């Protein structure tokens, strides 16, 4: 018997794992850089280079890129910087993982500390938390109907599926050029810079991914003026563009995260050959999964009047999208300088990164708790240390509303920090404000029995002959018209016609006349 099947391509969650990695290394100051007197600020970023999935374990290869801004008393220009990287490779045990599975790796930088060993040597230490989430694409072939329905009775059911159409990584490159503000002098050397994406809007269109947003740029530099005084400026540039995303449609559901994986900011000369332009190249890495909700009708049961049909079932488990939602929380905190720090003259730049400490499913959805680590660079009231930095923590607790969620659900949360701003309250205190956006996609586990094949055997004539041609039947609790028709070798339409029934719903103790049929069921 030929079976027409429907292929369902869906995602199945396989498990999570968590590990911490301690990175510790020493670095010599490059020969072209002067000695270090005092470290002002350090920044770090994790880049995941390779994720290798093996049976029962996952190997994560990455590196910590760091940069240090420091004061030197041995040079006419006191502010300098150096950078470097620390490689790491960690093997994480994940019991249910197999080759071919998709493993997403997210990270939190618990701590980044730099300290002086001597004026030419630096110690860099960091604790990295790696969170791994494993899933696989499941190809399910479910029977929908039989090729030749003559003589066969079929019963179907509808199942809702979130079919995954696209799962991939891609990059989006932003290139632009900005000009130094008119009231600022020419650039001699860029000492420190930062780039951050703000108000990012990602939309699915037909066969494309549309991106629009703003790039916030901070540049601190030594100028070409006498004694090379320190200068800085903040600006933003808008960007937009499309990425090819074959098969995407506007009505599909996209779970797409973006992060900066490369920033290059360099001095360029303008038409007058003056160093007043800054070239910007930023690369965003996008991790995307695109789903389409579809209601699929599949075979639930089958039998025939003139032969014995035995459906072979296979239990399957897959994950459907329950909901996609986000919470926006406006955070603010006042941060004071330490007692031994120089007072604040002017704020240069403020930034931060998010660390999620805990997530908990409750009756309203997902409670997310954590902290935003904030770092502020400022002009200091100290001629020997013209710039300094201060650090602070902003705790948060935010609820993502997800109705009908329970402990069997799986979810992914993408945190984004936007609209970071800072205001001087006085020479010792700064107020920081920011918008925390927590986007969640939640999957509900669905279990179903699908028909893989139908075995066909000749009817046992002796058993059929023993069955009475007509019987009276009293409906019991739980009886269904389909089950009665199958058990008594007839059809639901015949029972309804013989008993003048207008609907298939049966009531306990209802009396029915059931007549056995043979051969092809009537329409």
């Amino acid at each position: 018997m030929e079976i027409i099947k429907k292929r369902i391509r869906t995602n199945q969650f396989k498990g999570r794992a968590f590990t911490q990695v301690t990175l510790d290394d020493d670095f010599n100051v490059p020969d072209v850089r002067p000695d270090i007197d005092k470290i002002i600020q350090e920044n770090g970023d994790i880049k995941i280079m390779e994720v290798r999935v093996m049976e029962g374990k996952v190997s994560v290869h990455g590196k910590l890129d760091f940069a240090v801004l420091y004061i030197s008393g041995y040079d006419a220009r006191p502010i300098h910087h150096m950078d470097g990287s620390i490689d790491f490779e960690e093997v994480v045990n994940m019991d249910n993982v197999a080759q071919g599975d998709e493993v997403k790796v997210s990270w939190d930088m618990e701590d980044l500390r730099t300290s002086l060993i001597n004026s030419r040597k630096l110690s860099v230490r960091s604790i990295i938390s790696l969170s791994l989430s494993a899933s696989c694409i499941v190809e399910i072939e479910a029977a929908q109907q039989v090729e030749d329905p003559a003589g066969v009775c079929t019963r179907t059911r509808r199942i809702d599926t979130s079919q995954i159409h696209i799962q991939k990584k891609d990059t989006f490159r932003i290139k632009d050029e900005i000009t130094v503000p008119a009231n600022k002098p020419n650039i001699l050397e860029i000492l420190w810079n930062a780039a951050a994406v703000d108000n990012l809007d990602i939309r699915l269109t037909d066969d494309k991914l549309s991106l629009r947003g703003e790039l916030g740029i901070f540049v601190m530099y030594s100028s070409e003026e006498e004694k090379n005084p320190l200068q800085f400026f903040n600006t933003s540039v808008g960007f937009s563009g499309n990425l090819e995303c074959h098969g995407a449609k506007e009505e599909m559901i996209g779970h797409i995260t973006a992060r900066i994986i490369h920033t290059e900011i360099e001095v360029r000369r303008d038409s007058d050959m003056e160093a007043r332009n800054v070239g910007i190249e930023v690369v965003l890495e996008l991790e995307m999964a695109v789903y389409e909700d579809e209601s699929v009708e599949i075979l639930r049961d089958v039998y025939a009047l003139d032969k014995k049909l035995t459906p072979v079932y296979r239990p399957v488990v897959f994950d459907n999208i329950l909901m996609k939602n986000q919470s926006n929380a406006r955070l603010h905190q006042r941060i004071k300088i330490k007692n031994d720090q120089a007072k604040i003259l002017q704020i240069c730049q403020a930034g931060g990164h998010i660390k999620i400490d805990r997530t908990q499913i409750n009756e309203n959805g997902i409670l997310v708790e954590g902290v935003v680590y904030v770092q502020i660079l400022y002009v200091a009231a100290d001629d020997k240390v013209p710039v300094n930095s201060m650090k602070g923590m902003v705790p948060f607790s935010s609820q993502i509303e997800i109705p009908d969620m329970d402990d069997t659900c799986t979810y992914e949360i993408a945190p984004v920090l936007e609209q970071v701003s800072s205001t001087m309250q006085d020479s010792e205190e700064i107020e920081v404000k920011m918008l925390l956006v927590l986007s969640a996609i939640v999957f509900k586990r669905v279990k179903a029995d699908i028909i893989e094949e139908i075995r066909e055997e000749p009817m046992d004539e002796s058993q059929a002959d023993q069955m009475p041609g007509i019987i009276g039947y009293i409906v019991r609790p739980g009886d269904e018209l389909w089950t009665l028709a199958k058990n008594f070798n007839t059809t639901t339409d015949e029972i309804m016609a013989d008993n003048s029934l207008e609907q298939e719903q049966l009531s306990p103790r209802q009396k029915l006349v059931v007549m056995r049929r043979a051969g092809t069921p009537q329409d």
Side-chain angles (χ1 to χ4, degrees):
M1 177 176 290
E2 292 294 326
I3 303 173
I4 299 173
K5 294 185 176 182
K6 169 71 174 179
R7 178 171 290 181
I8 302 170
R9 192 169 187 263
T10 185
N11 210 40
Q12 186 180 80
F13 176 76
K14 298 193 74 173
R16 297 185 193 276
F18 174 84
T19 189
Q20 282 191 327
V21 184
T22 299
L23 304 179
D24 194 351
D25 207 348
D26 298 338
F27 294 85
N28 293 320
V29 178
D31 292 340
V32 295
R33 299 290 182 191
D35 291 359
I36 301 176
D37 271 3
K38 175 182 171 61
I39 296 171
I40 300 170
Q41 182 169 288
E42 62 278 300
N43 278 342
D45 188 34
I46 299 296
K47 288 183 172 61
I48 304 299
M49 314 298 290
E50 182 187 21
V51 178
R52 196 155 45 92
V53 182
M54 300 165 281
E55 295 294 328
K57 56 187 177 181
V58 179
S59 172
V60 182
H61 175 217
K63 65 176 180 176
L64 163 65
D65 287 337
F66 70 89
V68 174
L69 187 68
Y70 68 90
I71 297 285
S72 175
Y74 304 90
D75 194 79
R77 292 186 287 119
I79 309 297
H80 294 270
H81 72 280
M82 64 171 283
D83 51 36
S85 64
I86 305 175
D87 286 349
F88 66 88
E89 186 166 1
E90 188 76 6
V91 176
V92 185
N93 292 323
M94 294 188 76
D95 293 338
N96 298 323
V97 169
Q99 289 184 3
D101 290 348
E102 175 77 13
V103 176
K104 295 180 180 179
V105 180
S106 59
W107 57 270
D108 281 319
M109 193 178 301
E110 299 273 331
D111 193 15
L112 174 63
R113 294 187 181 184
T114 57
S115 58
L116 287 178
I117 297 173
N118 56 53
S119 62
R120 300 297 303 173
K121 199 166 193 177
L122 189 70
S123 172
V124 179
R125 187 176 187 275
S126 182
I127 300 173
I128 308 300
S129 296
L130 299 176
S131 297
L132 286 71
S133 175
S135 63
C136 66
I137 294 176
V138 180
E139 295 272 2
I140 301 170
E141 287 193 339
Q144 276 196 300
Q145 60 187 46
V146 293
E147 182 76 22
D148 182 9
V152 179
C153 299
T154 59
R155 188 186 194 190
T156 61
R157 61 171 291 196
R158 283 197 171 273
I159 59 170
D160 294 326
T161 66
S162 297
Q163 297 210 50
I164 185 161
H165 284 260
I166 301 160
Q167 188 170 40
K168 67 173 185 175
K169 288 183 179 180
D170 207 340
T171 56
F172 182 78
R173 197 173 298 271
I174 305 167
K175 285 187 174 182
D176 211 325
E177 188 171 88
I178 57 177
T179 302
V180 176
N183 61 341
K184 299 284 185 180
N186 294 352
I187 300 173
L188 176 66
E189 181 189 10
I190 294 177
L191 302 171
W192 198 249
N193 65 73
V197 176
D198 220 358
N199 301 318
L200 181 61
D201 182 32
I202 303 176
R203 295 178 185 269
L204 288 172
T205 60
D206 290 348
D207 292 323
K208 290 180 181 178
L209 196 67
S210 171
L211 296 94
R212 183 182 300 273
E214 294 178 356
L215 198 62
I217 302 294
F218 167 73
V219 177
M220 175 179 283
Y221 66 95
S222 58
S223 71
E224 291 182 348
E225 293 181 325
E226 187 180 355
K227 297 186 178 180
N228 312 119
L230 190 69
Q231 297 286 340
F232 68 90
F233 64 90
N234 289 277
T235 189
S236 66
V237 294
F239 66 86
S240 62
N242 296 307
L243 280 176
E244 183 179 338
C245 194
H246 182 70
K249 297 179 182 177
E250 190 173 349
E251 62 270 17
M252 289 181 176
I253 302 167
H255 180 59
I256 303 159
T257 58
R259 66 186 185 93
I260 294 176
I261 60 169
H262 175 75
T263 302
E264 187 174 330
I265 296 178
E266 62 178 6
V267 183
R268 294 178 184 172
R269 296 192 177 273
D270 61 14
S271 57
D272 297 326
M273 298 305 295
E274 293 187 333
R276 296 197 59 77
N277 290 347
V278 176
I280 301 165
E281 183 172 349
V282 171
V283 180
L284 296 181
E285 181 182 69
L286 292 100
E287 195 165 296
M288 59 185 80
V290 180
Y291 303 85
E292 183 177 27
D293 283 342
E294 185 178 354
S295 184
V296 179
E297 191 165 353
I298 64 171
L299 272 184
R300 182 177 175 184
D301 199 2
V302 61
Y303 70 93
L305 301 181
D306 59 349
K307 66 190 85 174
K308 182 180 179 183
L309 300 182
T310 304
V312 179
Y313 293 92
R314 177 168 71 94
V316 297
V317 179
F318 51 91
D319 296 322
N320 279 352
I321 295 175
L322 175 65
M323 192 175 186
K324 185 180 176 185
N325 202 5
Q326 71 178 38
S327 72
N328 297 340
R330 294 203 172 272
L331 308 178
H332 62 91
Q333 184 85 6
R334 292 193 174 191
I335 302 170
K336 296 197 72 167
I337 60 174
K338 295 178 180 178
N339 292 333
D340 59 345
Q341 284 186 293
K343 293 188 176 183
I344 306 163
L345 288 182
Q346 188 180 2
I347 299 171
C348 298
Q349 185 255 349
H353 71 271
I354 306 161
K355 181 180 179 299
I356 294 177
D357 291 324
R358 187 172 77 98
T359 62
Q360 180 181 351
I361 296 175
N362 56 31
E363 59 183 6
N364 297 317
I366 310 171
L367 178 65
V368 184
E369 295 177 339
V371 65
V372 178
Y373 290 98
V374 178
Q375 191 164 233
I376 302 165
L377 190 65
Y378 67 91
V379 178
D382 186 338
D383 292 337
K384 293 182 180 179
V385 185
V387 293
N388 212 331
S389 72
M390 54 196 296
K391 298 179 181 180
M393 294 187 300
V394 184
F396 66 84
S397 177
S398 185
Q399 178 75 35
I400 306 175
E401 300 292 336
I402 308 286
D404 303 321
M405 190 173 178
D406 57 40
D407 290 336
T408 64
C409 293
T410 61
Y411 56 89
E412 296 178 21
I413 297 175
V416 175
L417 202 60
E418 295 186 347
Q419 301 173 21
V420 180
S421 64
S422 54
T423 309
M424 279 182 61
Q425 301 302 299
D426 54 38
S427 61
E428 297 181 350
E429 188 176 57
I430 290 174
E431 183 178 39
V432 182
K433 295 180 180 179
M434 66 201 75
L435 177 66
L436 174 66
V437 180
L438 298 171
S439 300
I441 185 167
V442 179
F443 298 87
K444 194 172 186 68
R445 180 139 292 188
V446 176
K447 297 180 180 180
D449 290 325
I450 63 167
I451 295 177
E452 268 194 321
E453 62 174 302
I454 301 173
R455 294 174 183 166
E456 186 176 346
E457 301 174 42
M459 179 73 77
D460 188 341
E461 295 295 339
S462 62
Q463 186 177 357
D465 290 342
Q466 294 176 7
M467 188 179 297
I470 182 170
I471 64 168
Y473 186 82
I474 299 176
V475 177
R476 300 170 184 173
D479 278 346
E480 292 181 303
L481 201 59
W482 169 269
T483 309
L484 295 180
K486 183 177 180 181
N487 290 342
F488 292 113
N489 203 45
T490 184
T491 70
T492 56
D493 289 344
E494 292 286 350
I495 297 177
M496 292 181 70
D498 292 341
N499 293 273
S500 301
L501 300 178
E502 295 182 356
Q503 58 181 14
E504 292 190 9
Q505 187 76 26
L506 299 177
S507 303
R509 303 195 63 79
Q510 183 178 355
K511 295 179 181 180
L512 298 175
V513 173
V514 182
M515 289 184 286
R516 180 169 63 87
R517 297 289 194 274
T520 303
Q522 300 175 9
D523 292 333

